[in-house]
Amino acid sequence: MKELKEYIRSIPDFPEKGIIFRDVTSVLQDADALKLSIDELAKRLEGVDFDVIAGAESRGFIFGAPLAYVMHKPFVPIRKKGKLPCETVEKTYDLEYGTATIEMHKDAVKKGEKVVLLDDLIATGGTMKAAAELVEELGGEVVKMLFLIELSDLNGREVLKDYDVDSVVQFEGK
């Protein structure tokens, strides 16, 4: 079987010239790659004491829900503003060009629960930092942040330096 990095498609000059887009759809379209990605994420949670997995919209759902299934843990979606039907907490954070707002249901994380945050990719760390602040606002504790892909040159780990951050595959460059 190939290594996971070999399944990730690299698309030059997308969304703009000079950027290499790391595409996880090629992982999703291959049963071996998808299984390998979930298995590799699960390995990184061995020995971690946690109660719930929370994933950021939308690719954090794609990898977080099957990982929660494998680990026999509940899954909490972290959504874009306006997508959740019950009472929420929200956090606005900066993007390269503008801002974004994410939300969680107020009852999604209970006081004292230990949470693993998951997304497909860490770049600048802004989304996960905001997600961690939501968990903490609800009284939860972020015990690990987990990513399938890390773009190491964008220094997301520095933004998340107060957390235990792990990634399966690392790429240099933008």
Side-chain angles (χ1 to χ4, degrees):
M1 184 184 287
K2 298 191 294 188
E3 289 191 28
L4 188 58
K5 195 170 195 173
E6 298 174 71
Y7 288 102
I8 299 168
R9 182 171 37 198
S10 297
I11 303 168
D13 298 324
F14 183 83
E16 59 187 50
K17 190 165 181 57
I19 302 291
I20 300 174
F21 187 82
R22 307 302 178 171
D23 183 20
V24 296
T25 62
S26 54
V27 171
L28 300 172
Q29 294 168 342
D30 186 294
D32 290 335
L34 180 56
K35 181 178 183 329
L36 180 59
S37 67
I38 299 305
D39 291 347
E40 288 297 321
L41 290 165
K43 281 182 193 174
R44 282 154 176 79
L45 293 177
E46 289 176 2
V48 177
D49 179 23
F50 70 100
D51 303 302
V52 64
I53 295 174
E57 188 168 347
S58 65
R59 291 175 305 269
F61 298 2
I62 294 170
F63 294 100
L67 181 61
Y69 172 80
V70 166
M71 304 297 293
H72 195 72
K73 300 289 184 176
F75 178 77
V76 170
I78 301 169
R79 305 252 6 225
K80 295 174 184 169
K81 184 174 175 65
K83 301 290 185 182
L84 292 171
C86 296
E87 192 175 0
T88 62
V89 290
E90 68 179 48
K91 192 71 171 170
T92 299
Y93 61 99
D94 291 328
L95 299 169
E96 189 174 353
Y97 302 106
T99 61
T101 302
I102 55 173
E103 296 180 318
M104 290 175 61
H105 279 143
K106 270 193 171 179
D107 63 356
V109 172
K110 317 270 183 302
K111 186 174 173 63
E113 280 190 318
K114 295 175 181 168
V115 179
V116 170
L117 289 175
L118 184 131
D119 206 352
D120 70 318
L121 182 133
I122 176 176
T124 62
T127 301
M128 241 349 118
K129 177 77 169 148
E133 290 170 358
L134 286 177
V135 167
E136 291 161 354
E137 182 179 334
L138 293 174
E141 175 191 357
V142 176
V143 295
K144 192 165 197 82
M145 292 181 173
L146 192 52
F147 304 90
L148 193 64
I149 300 170
E150 179 175 356
L151 303 180
S152 55
D153 290 359
L154 296 179
N155 301 316
R157 278 185 188 259
E158 182 60 29
V159 170
L160 304 174
K161 66 181 182 272
D162 296 333
Y163 301 96
D164 179 3
V165 175
D166 200 356
S167 59
V168 176
V169 176
Q170 297 79 36
F171 288 99
E172 292 181 4
K174 287 185 171 186

